[in-house]
Amino acid sequence: MIVCHSQCGFALLEAGSVRAKNTKNILLKNVLDACLGGLIWWTIGFPIALGDIGGDTEANYGKPFFLDRLQGRSSSTYYAMWLFQWAFAATSATIVSGAVAERCAFSAYLSYTFALTGFIYPTVVYWGWGNFGFLSAYTAEKPYLGGNGLIDFAGSGVVHMTGGGAALMGAIFLGPRTGRFAPRTGEVQDMPGHSTVLAALGTFILWFGWYGFNPVSTLAFAHMQHAARAAVATTLSACSAGVTTLGIHVLGKNTPDVSPALNGILAGLVSIAGPCAVVDAWASVIIGFIGAFVYFASSRLLLRLKIDDPLDASPVHLFCGIWGVIASGLFANKEFTNSVYGTDYGENDYGLFMGANSTQLGVQVVGVLVIGSWTFVSAGLVFFTLKATKLLRVSAEDEDAGLDSSHHGGDAYNFAAGKPSRI
């Protein structure tokens, strides 16, 4: 349930990071990420992701569409896994809503959410975490790519790269918000969100929710030592990245501000999601430190390319997700890796910087290329189709008025209600 609470964090963060005239719109999308996403996950998403469809094993008969025909004692763990993974699926969809905020049509939102939660994300889960996935570390036999399979414990790649990659495609095909870049010079025009308070509170709630994402990915009380290590790594990476990002911001001759620190914390959390259970505490600090630079550089790169991502969703989730996957191949501790993933096949495959050969790092690189390619192509096709059919973006008039008043029946804040009426 801690992971489910992350949706509160996303809602507050995104609401505070957009202009007041678009608050109801972004909140409604966050609500539907949970509600609509849950129905899609129930009908087709989860069976594709972890139902291992096509595999001739007894377990497959207990993982049907619509949760139908569940039998035996395994059904209790099945329900628990469904609920846990639903929260991950909702997260992948929510990531996209931040990148396309303030100008995406509601019908387009419904379309890409269905595609992402029902097909794009479940496919990545099947490859990366399923019993038959070619990237997976959890196959019954030797991982197909060698080593330990893809070390992505809590989803730097599976969850965040997928959501962040779809977010980048959405931002590219939508184009920037009106006025974001000066017409003649191309200079970036600030469009700050309306509430730093909401954004900060949302970030702290997300940080708390990450203790559901990372430690709880052990999936059993028997592995509490792994959960505790993951919790410490999560904390240190977030702290390191938050401080580092703020430092980079100040060294750029800017005044200390809240927003860089908040995005830095999120960058550290995403960076450590994949390697959290297999790295030492000191390594988690380094991973967060480098994650801050990855976030800062990728954010500046998108602005140079005139790609408008209002919440920096793709720098935080895509680029830091890539770094998190790679970091597992560099810093994975031999003892921790063998304890978490076993010693049947990859006993000597762990982090390159920790004394191993390059096998595990190679597996991690392949994972990045596969997840990135699949997400860019599939999500790009969805957004291209929506743009070609003129369903992707609201009109300039609606965007200028704000999506709350033009699409959702009125503003989120009724300031006039508190004023005395004139006689």
Side-chain angles (χ1 to χ4, degrees):
M1 300 311 295
I2 295 176
V3 183
C4 298
H5 194 56
S6 294
Q7 285 300 121
C8 299
F10 276 117
L12 292 174
L13 172 64
E14 294 188 7
S17 299
V18 299
R19 289 169 289 180
K21 63 183 181 179
N22 297 305
T23 305
K24 287 175 68 174
N25 177 265
I26 203 72
L27 287 175
L28 180 58
K29 290 176 181 178
N30 274 266
V31 170
L32 289 179
D33 284 336
C35 297
L36 180 61
L39 294 175
I40 298 170
W41 195 242
W42 167 57
T43 54
I44 59 175
F46 186 75
I48 292 175
L50 293 174
D52 297 321
I53 297 170
D56 187 17
T57 68
E58 182 179 352
N60 295 334
Y61 299 112
K63 296 181 178 180
F65 292 93
F66 298 95
L67 304 185
D68 190 24
R69 299 185 306 282
L70 289 180
Q71 298 177 0
R73 292 183 300 174
S74 64
S75 63
S76 61
T77 57
Y78 173 85
Y79 284 129
M81 181 60 76
W82 183 92
L83 186 65
F84 187 56
Q85 290 293 334
W86 159 68
F88 279 78
T91 294
S92 70
T94 303
I95 291 168
V96 183
S97 64
V100 301
E102 301 197 308
R103 75 272 200 209
C104 182
F106 193 70
S107 58
Y109 159 77
L110 296 174
S111 300
Y112 79 67
T113 297
F114 181 85
L116 183 63
T117 311
F119 182 60
I120 299 173
Y121 173 72
T123 300
V124 177
V125 174
Y126 179 84
W127 289 341
W129 287 340
N131 293 335
F132 299 93
F134 74 96
L135 295 174
S136 180
Y138 306 105
T139 56
E141 299 178 353
K142 184 177 180 179
Y144 297 109
L145 296 181
N148 289 288
L150 181 67
I151 297 179
D152 190 20
F153 191 72
S156 287
V158 172
V159 178
H160 296 284
M161 273 192 65
T162 304
L168 179 60
M169 291 296 99
I172 290 173
F173 280 98
L174 260 174
R177 291 168 289 175
T178 303
R180 178 56 167 153
F181 301 103
R184 293 183 179 180
T185 64
E187 183 179 354
V188 179
Q189 306 298 305
D190 288 336
M191 289 185 170
H194 79 280
S195 177
T196 303
V197 174
L198 292 180
L201 182 58
T203 300
F204 276 115
I205 292 174
L206 280 172
W207 192 344
F208 174 70
W210 238 272
Y211 295 116
F213 280 119
N214 292 4
V216 180
S217 289
T218 55
L219 303 179
F221 285 109
H223 303 309
M224 188 57 68
Q225 72 277 19
H226 304 322
R229 183 168 59 248
V232 171
T234 300
T235 303
L236 291 176
S237 181
C239 294
S240 175
V243 170
T244 303
T245 305
L246 181 59
I248 297 171
H249 178 77
V250 172
L251 288 175
K253 299 181 179 180
N254 299 298
T255 57
D257 198 1
V258 178
S259 182
L262 298 181
N263 281 332
I265 290 170
L266 296 175
L269 292 170
V270 171
S271 298
I272 202 63
C276 62
V278 297
V279 296
D280 295 282
W282 62 264
S284 65
V285 174
I286 294 175
I287 290 170
F289 176 78
I290 297 175
F293 284 91
V294 171
Y295 158 71
F296 192 86
S298 57
S299 177
R300 294 302 181 271
L301 175 62
L302 293 193
L303 292 178
R304 281 184 172 272
L305 296 175
K306 304 296 186 291
I307 297 173
D308 182 19
D309 185 339
L311 273 88
D312 271 346
S314 44
V316 167
H317 295 278
L318 171 61
F319 292 97
C320 291
I322 292 172
W323 163 236
V325 175
I326 298 299
S328 295
L330 297 174
F331 294 103
N333 177 291
K334 180 178 181 179
E335 177 188 350
F336 300 159
T337 303
N338 290 340
S339 180
V340 173
Y341 291 97
T343 59
D344 292 338
Y345 305 109
E347 181 178 2
N348 295 312
D349 297 315
Y350 46 99
L352 180 66
F353 291 166
M354 306 301 290
N357 58 32
S358 60
T359 299
Q360 190 61 51
L361 179 59
V363 174
Q364 303 301 117
V365 171
V366 171
V368 167
L369 294 175
V370 169
I371 295 172
S373 299
W374 164 252
T375 304
F376 294 152
V377 172
S378 56
L381 181 61
V382 171
F383 285 110
F384 171 80
T385 302
L386 290 170
K387 183 174 183 178
T389 54
K390 302 186 184 303
L391 297 174
L392 183 57
R393 185 163 180 153
V394 300
S395 67
E397 293 77 12
D398 288 351
E399 183 182 352
D400 182 61
L403 300 185
D404 291 358
S405 59
S406 61
H407 286 255
H408 302 293
D411 296 332
Y413 301 102
N414 186 5
F415 296 110
K419 296 180 180 180
S421 57
R422 294 182 178 180
I423 299 176

